[in-house]
Amino acid sequence: MATIDPHRPSVDDAPAPSVARGDVTGVLLWLVLVISAVANMVASYAAAGVAVNLACGSVTGLAAVALVLRRLKGGRR
């Protein structure tokens, strides 16, 4: 016969983790910012065309602006 330990939480007692939509958006924006900044550096060192540098820089700038706007609007709680 199995005994139940009252001090060990069971699977049924654990609350389901919830992720807010704003948290996911923030993480995705940070990922886009970092990846596009790295891509811009690689494009600069690889002497890629100006269009590649402009595209990477534009994506980096847009992601940074979106993060600043989220912060100013109170997107981070």
Side-chain angles (χ1 to χ4, degrees):
M1 182 167 144
T3 60
I4 299 174
D5 186 3
H7 301 290
R8 175 180 256 179
S10 68
V11 176
D12 297 333
D13 294 339
S18 62
V19 178
R21 185 176 195 161
D23 294 340
V24 174
T25 304
V27 169
L28 290 176
L29 281 172
W30 276 108
L31 282 173
V32 167
L33 179 78
V34 170
I35 290 171
S36 63
V38 169
N40 198 8
M41 287 190 305
V42 168
S44 294
Y45 288 124
V50 174
V52 176
N53 283 331
L54 285 175
C56 292
S58 298
V59 171
T60 303
L62 289 173
V65 167
L67 282 167
V68 168
L69 289 176
R70 282 187 77 242
R71 178 68 175 164
L72 290 176
K73 285 181 147 181
R76 182 177 174 210
R77 292 173 182 90

